[in-house]
């Protein structure tokens, strides 16, 4: 395969009770149907509230199953719970093995690797990092083995949370610690990938579209396919809009295209809170 076309969607947050998010997913589905990439990757928060609603997870999977191309998935905090961090309050809800197992049973693998167009693609469950769960160690052991098989190929890494904001040693702050891969897992991850030709890190989670390069690695933050978070509730780092990201991989190179599906709407988080009822 001389070219591999991949579409990244993220933070779909699907649940039957949120018609605006479902409508945005249908617009994304129509775009994918017209474009027909080789693969779709959802980089997490597939469902709106997996830890408390298995129906959200099952509903989200049913909508993805209707897509005309193959899909791979990675869990987000809305799917399996969030990581504990060195500072800041305990996550609500915390990541739990039962939630991870539910994701794997209903959605599919929560970590994976494959090869295409001369590239090695690796997907990681970033929510178990720093969790102390047995699977955290298992995944790092698996990653060690996968990195040992790269054999000089360029690597594209996909995960839910960005690894860092601007620099690998960015300090963790109370206000933003939940946005990025937590320490000390972050440092370990960076050290492991220093052994290979890591060209791309693709993530979601922050609901902002961002594209920057640090050293020789390009960092792509996919926007949410479902909704945006206004500046009152979240500081602005980059572009706040709904959308998706398209990639074309060729041996030793890749291209990125930032797009919005026709008819996709910038649903504001306040609309979701109003549908949920109560103050947030």
């Amino acid at each position: 395969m001389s070219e591999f076309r991949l579409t990244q969607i993220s933070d779909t947050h699907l649940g039957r009770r949120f018609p605006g998010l479902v409508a945005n997913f249908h617009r994304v589905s129509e775009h994918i149907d017209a474009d027909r990439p080789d693969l779709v990757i959802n980089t997490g928060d597939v469902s709106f509230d997996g830890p408390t609603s298995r129906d959200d997870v099952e509903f989200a999977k049913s909508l993805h199953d209707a897509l005309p191309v193959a899909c791979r998935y990675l869990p987000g905090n809305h799917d399996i719970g969030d990581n504990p961090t060195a500072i800041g309050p305990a996550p609500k809800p915390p990541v739990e093995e039962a939630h991870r197992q539910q994701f794997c049973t209903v959605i599919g693998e929560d970590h994976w690797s494959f090869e295409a167009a001369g590239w090695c693609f690796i997907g990681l469950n970033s929510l178990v990092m720093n969790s102390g769960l047995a699977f955290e160690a298992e995944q790092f052991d698996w990653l060690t083995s996968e990195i040992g098989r790269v054999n000089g190929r360029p690597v594209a890494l996909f995960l839910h949370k960005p690894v860092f904001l601007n620099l690998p040693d960015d300090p963790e702050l109370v206000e933003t610690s939940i946005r990025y891969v937590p320490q000390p897992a972050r440092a370990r991850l960076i050290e492991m990938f220093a052994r290979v030709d890591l060209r791309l890190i693709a993530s979601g989670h922050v609901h902002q579209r961002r594209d920057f390069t640090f050293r020789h690695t390009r960092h792509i933050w996919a926007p949410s396919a479902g909704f945006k978070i206004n500046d009152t509730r979240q500081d602005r780092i980059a572009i706040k809009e709904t959308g998706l990201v398209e990639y074309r991989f060729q041996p030793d190179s890749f291209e990125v295209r930032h797009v919005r599906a026709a008819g996709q709407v910038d649903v504001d988080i306040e609309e979701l809170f109003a549908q949920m009822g109560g103050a947030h």
Side-chain angles (χ1 to χ4, degrees):
M1 180 185 296
S2 61
E3 182 178 81
F4 182 69
R5 297 171 57 241
L6 186 156
T7 295
Q8 180 192 5
I9 60 177
S10 199
D11 299 87
T12 44
H13 290 275
L14 292 165
R16 299 180 198 275
R17 60 203 181 279
F18 300 108
L21 305 186
V22 175
N24 267 343
F25 188 82
H26 285 318
R27 302 295 84 75
V28 168
S29 298
E30 291 162 1
H31 179 89
I32 291 169
D33 187 29
D35 188 58
R36 296 294 174 106
D38 298 302
L39 179 70
V40 170
I41 294 177
N42 188 325
T43 46
D45 285 354
V46 183
S47 62
F48 191 85
D49 192 2
T52 65
S53 174
R54 184 183 177 95
D55 183 69
D56 280 5
V57 183
E58 293 174 341
F59 177 67
K61 183 59 161 60
S62 71
L63 292 182
H64 284 76
D65 283 346
L67 290 171
V69 298
C71 297
R72 288 183 182 264
Y73 309 87
L74 294 167
N77 49 296
H78 280 252
D79 300 312
I80 66 171
D82 212 344
N83 336 50
T85 57
I87 61 173
K92 295 181 181 179
V95 60
E96 293 184 8
E97 178 62 19
H99 301 152
R100 189 185 79 84
Q101 289 291 343
Q102 175 180 263
F103 181 92
C104 293
T105 299
V106 178
I107 300 287
E109 292 180 313
D110 66 342
H111 67 297
W112 37 258
S113 69
F114 64 92
E115 299 171 14
W119 283 70
C120 179
F121 296 84
I122 296 176
L124 293 178
N125 180 339
S126 60
L127 280 306
V128 297
M129 296 177 187
N130 202 45
S131 69
L133 295 177
F135 180 71
E136 179 183 7
E138 293 172 15
Q139 180 175 240
F140 271 124
D141 289 344
W142 172 86
L143 180 58
T144 298
S145 178
E146 293 302 311
I147 285 176
R149 288 198 284 266
V150 168
N151 294 325
R153 291 187 296 272
V155 175
L157 170 64
F158 289 79
L159 70 178
H160 181 60
K161 289 189 173 184
V163 179
F164 52 79
L165 173 60
N166 293 314
L167 299 170
D169 59 353
D170 281 341
E172 291 185 301
L173 305 175
V174 171
E175 298 81 6
T176 59
S177 60
I178 61 171
R179 285 187 190 164
Y180 312 104
V181 173
Q183 297 285 19
R186 181 200 307 174
R188 182 178 181 184
L189 197 64
I190 290 169
E191 180 182 5
M192 293 176 75
F193 276 98
R195 307 170 199 168
V196 299
D197 182 13
L198 181 62
R199 303 278 186 91
L200 170 68
I201 299 178
S203 60
H205 184 56
V206 186
H207 289 237
Q208 300 193 41
R209 187 192 292 283
R210 192 176 184 214
D211 184 339
F212 72 99
T213 299
F214 177 77
R215 293 178 180 162
H216 71 288
T217 303
R218 191 166 176 181
H219 295 249
I220 302 294
W221 296 9
S224 169
F227 68 92
K228 68 175 185 177
I229 304 173
N230 59 64
D231 291 353
T232 301
R233 292 191 178 269
Q234 181 202 56
D235 56 307
R236 182 179 292 269
I237 302 168
I239 299 170
K240 293 188 174 185
E241 65 177 12
T242 56
L244 58 152
V245 187
E246 296 175 341
Y247 303 85
R248 288 179 181 264
F249 293 89
Q250 297 177 331
D252 204 41
S253 68
F254 72 103
E255 299 175 2
V256 180
R257 183 169 175 248
H258 298 282
V259 299
R260 278 165 63 91
Q264 223 176 339
V265 175
D266 287 336
V267 175
D268 191 275
I269 193 172
E270 305 299 341
E271 296 178 39
L272 308 182
F273 288 152
Q275 292 172 50
M276 293 166 67
H280 295 268

